[in-house]
Amino acid sequence: MMLFAWRSNLITLSSELTSSHSVTTCPQQRFDAVVVGGGPVGATAALTLAHRGWNRIALVERLEEPSSSSLGKGYTVALKTRGYKIFRELGILDELRSLAIDNDKCSTVVLSRGRPPIVSKPTRMLRSLLLERGTIVRFLYQKLENVSQVHVLRGTEMEGIMAPNPDGLAQLEIRDRVNGQVQVLQTPLILACDGMNSGVRRVLEPSIPDVSLSIFPGKTSHLRYKALSVPLAYQTGDTNLDPYLKLIWLGRGFGRDPDRNAFNLAQWPCGADPHVSRRGCVTLPLDHPIWKVDDLEEMFRIFEENFPHVPVRTLVTSESMQHFISNDGINFPNIQRIRTLAVNVGQSSVVFLGESAHLFPPDFSEGLNSGLEDVYVYNGILTSSQGDVLGASSKYHAARTCDIDALLHVVQQASPFLYGSGRLGQALHAFGVSLLEFLSSRAPQLFTPYSAYLLFEDMSYSEVMRLSNRTRRNLFIAVIGSVSILATATGLLLTSI
């Protein structure tokens, strides 16, 4: 935590912002809190403050429809215990659960050419709720419509942060993206929930280096994924199948190097709403040849060659395939985090939540789950601090930073090798996961399942890291011990001959 003394009157997000702007004071210029960013974390934070009884909350969201998403970028998230406990506290979990699919009740079917479907039974290790990100956002905004304390400012973006007013309140300058009108919001609390390209962070980091992102290497930062809208189906093209079914198409490859070019497509349940189409996710290295294809007919030919056991043209419309080609997809980011999670500005605080504070690859849905847990932890600290915003900020940083560091460590160690690693890499990954599952069932006091599975449990990230390190240490001891015993036994055998 750090206390910051302002060096200039206005730090701006854009170097083009000048004093010639006409600053119009907002009619309701003073707020108990301003939440910047109206995604799932920001909308949840606004609802949480309203639930606490705060009366004047502004939610600044740059999009007119924050729940909208490209067909090529929409994806299913696994909402885990750590993510949905804030909704239980708000009393809305049961409603949200009715929109989702229980992950631990889902069976997995793997389709490959020339083989019968391989069916895996549900596992309780994956206890979570599956639904599309847009469904979560729409649900939260429906709740916000019934909360008079929250003023949702759609289509607005932050331009800069001015020096505190005479009362010590921070002042945010925001601009309407349509008419260009500029307003000033005064508040004792800014919650930065504006994601990986956080405007709040970029405004502050020239003068507060500790809010700059530190980048850590990850094993999946060379990957890109896109989503293809496709109905749930077997080879028959039947689209009326169990919504609790996970479907994986195994590809055989295409072109002159089919082993290298082969790719799979995974269809995860995306919630209980039958009107939300499934997205088939394709995750491949950035240099994979499929990303260079820009012709619709050629892309269809590649899919048909890669999945000869699937009626591709029956299941995938030309519009969906064109969306798949034309959108940029999402590149897996490096693991990133800021050094300080909260700063005090005069008599106000700026608190970073979610991906404005820490960024992880989307493999395990920990970006959303850790962000929602941020809100839960901060809300608990506000309660214990009896609403003291300045005191709560320092306590939040102290309480949360160790857990985020632990998550960073776990993600670095647990990131799967199966993407783009070939059949051998996929087989080794599957063997390792199965081995840990077997060992943990036989000796749970020594071993735990694959650390990515522990993230589904109701335990802190620090506890996940501790258990993962214990398993790794015991595996090393077991391997060394086995080799030593084998070497000793071999030596005794040779001397007896």
Side-chain angles (χ1 to χ4, degrees):
M1 246 298 291
M2 63 188 306
L3 183 65
F4 175 63
W6 287 90
R7 302 181 203 170
S8 61
N9 185 57
L10 176 65
I11 302 174
T12 64
L13 181 62
S14 170
S15 60
E16 299 176 356
L17 185 64
T18 68
S19 59
S20 62
H21 274 276
S22 175
V23 178
T24 304
T25 302
C26 178
Q28 298 178 333
Q29 62 178 0
R30 185 163 176 166
F31 292 90
D32 293 338
V34 175
V35 181
V36 181
V41 174
T44 302
L47 281 171
T48 301
L49 294 178
H51 188 260
R52 295 187 58 83
W54 292 26
N55 292 319
R56 298 177 60 75
I57 305 151
L59 177 58
V60 179
E61 168 53 43
R62 67 184 299 274
L63 298 177
E64 288 289 345
E65 292 296 334
S67 64
S68 62
S69 63
S70 164
L71 281 174
K73 296 183 179 181
Y75 56 91
T76 297
V77 297
L79 195 60
K80 305 170 187 177
T81 304
R82 74 179 73 256
Y84 62 62
K85 59 188 174 184
I86 183 63
F87 300 131
R88 179 184 291 116
E89 193 165 280
L90 297 177
I92 58 177
L93 177 58
D94 288 342
E95 291 181 71
L96 183 61
R97 188 186 295 274
S98 69
L99 303 174
I101 292 291
D102 291 311
N103 195 11
D104 58 337
K105 296 180 181 177
C106 292
S107 299
T108 302
V109 175
V110 179
L111 301 178
S112 58
R113 186 186 185 189
R115 299 178 183 176
I118 301 173
V119 181
S120 300
K121 295 180 180 180
T123 172
R124 291 192 59 80
M125 285 192 296
L126 302 180
R127 190 182 299 109
S128 57
L129 303 177
L130 297 179
L131 67 172
E132 193 194 31
R133 179 186 182 277
T135 300
I136 300 174
V137 177
R138 284 189 292 272
F139 171 78
L140 294 172
Y141 273 79
Q142 288 171 2
K143 295 301 175 185
L144 286 170
E145 290 176 358
N146 300 318
V147 178
S148 60
Q149 303 101 301
V150 179
H151 303 263
V152 181
L153 307 176
R154 298 174 188 255
T156 60
E157 58 187 358
M158 194 187 71
E159 286 286 325
I161 300 178
M162 301 172 66
N165 72 359
D167 295 329
L169 299 182
Q171 300 185 98
L172 275 77
E173 195 173 55
I174 64 170
R175 179 179 60 85
D176 189 297
R177 300 182 68 208
V178 176
N179 59 31
Q181 182 181 12
V182 178
Q183 300 180 7
V184 176
L185 310 181
Q186 300 175 345
T187 181
L189 176 63
I190 300 171
L191 296 183
C193 306
D194 48 345
M196 62 183 294
N197 298 314
S198 170
V200 177
R201 192 181 62 236
R202 282 187 288 155
V203 163
L204 296 179
E205 63 185 357
S207 297
I208 313 178
D210 277 356
V211 302
S212 299
L213 283 171
S214 298
I215 299 176
F216 302 86
K219 297 171 183 173
T220 59
S221 58
H222 66 294
L223 299 174
R224 171 184 296 164
Y225 93 86
K226 289 188 182 184
L228 177 68
S229 182
V230 58
L232 179 65
Y234 283 108
Q235 293 94 325
T236 59
D238 181 9
T239 60
N240 297 313
L241 295 178
D242 187 353
Y244 281 85
L245 198 64
K246 299 176 183 177
L247 193 62
I248 300 176
W249 301 357
L250 293 186
R252 63 180 294 273
F254 65 92
R256 297 180 178 178
D257 191 355
D259 286 340
R260 180 181 182 276
N261 295 340
F263 63 94
N264 303 329
L265 184 143
Q267 292 180 262
W268 304 121
C270 54
D273 186 351
H275 302 293
V276 178
S277 62
R278 286 204 174 197
R279 311 290 170 85
C281 294
V282 175
T283 304
L284 292 167
L286 293 170
D287 61 354
H288 194 277
I290 195 175
W291 302 136
K292 301 176 183 178
V293 177
D294 57 7
D295 180 74
L296 179 63
E297 186 58 33
E298 183 181 357
M299 187 65 81
F300 266 117
R301 183 191 59 76
I302 287 173
F303 268 72
E304 288 177 321
E305 186 177 347
N306 189 64
F307 303 115
H309 50 293
V310 177
V312 174
R313 291 184 188 265
T314 301
L315 299 176
V316 182
T317 66
S318 295
E319 180 185 12
S320 295
M321 187 65 82
Q322 188 60 55
H323 273 288
F324 180 82
I325 294 171
S326 60
N327 86 87
D328 296 329
I330 295 180
N331 294 345
F332 281 37
N334 282 303
I335 302 168
Q336 303 172 49
R337 66 151 297 177
I338 59 177
R339 288 186 289 274
T340 184
L341 301 176
V343 295
N344 286 345
V345 178
Q347 297 301 308
S348 302
S349 288
V350 180
V351 179
F352 294 89
L353 305 173
E355 291 187 342
S356 69
H358 41 78
L359 185 64
F360 301 97
D363 305 56
F364 312 124
S365 297
E366 286 310 315
L368 175 60
N369 283 283
S370 60
L372 292 173
E373 190 174 47
D374 288 346
V375 178
Y376 178 84
V377 171
Y378 182 68
N379 185 51
I381 291 174
L382 274 177
T383 299
S384 64
S385 302
Q386 298 181 336
D388 175 16
V389 170
L390 295 179
S393 297
S394 59
K395 292 177 182 177
Y396 170 74
H397 172 79
R400 195 63 176 146
T401 190
C402 290
D403 231 23
I404 296 302
D405 284 340
L407 175 59
L408 187 154
H409 175 82
V410 170
V411 171
Q412 281 185 308
Q413 297 296 326
S415 290
F417 296 95
L418 66 166
Y419 298 122
S421 57
R423 292 184 173 87
L424 176 60
Q426 294 178 25
L428 290 174
H429 173 79
F431 172 76
V433 172
S434 299
L435 175 63
L436 288 177
E437 187 173 347
F438 172 79
L439 292 174
S440 63
S441 66
R442 296 297 187 272
Q445 69 278 12
L446 298 176
F447 302 101
T448 56
Y450 178 42
S451 53
Y453 291 166
L454 294 180
L455 295 172
F456 287 83
E457 299 295 329
D458 187 14
M459 64 177 70
S460 69
Y461 292 126
S462 297
E463 180 66 4
V464 172
M465 182 178 73
R466 186 188 71 81
L467 293 174
S468 298
N469 288 341
R470 186 192 68 178
T471 294
R472 190 174 295 107
R473 181 183 67 249
N474 290 338
L475 273 175
F476 177 78
I477 293 173
V479 170
I480 295 298
S482 299
V483 171
S484 299
I485 292 172
L486 180 61
T488 302
T490 302
L492 291 173
L493 179 63
L494 290 175
T495 56
S496 66
I497 296 177

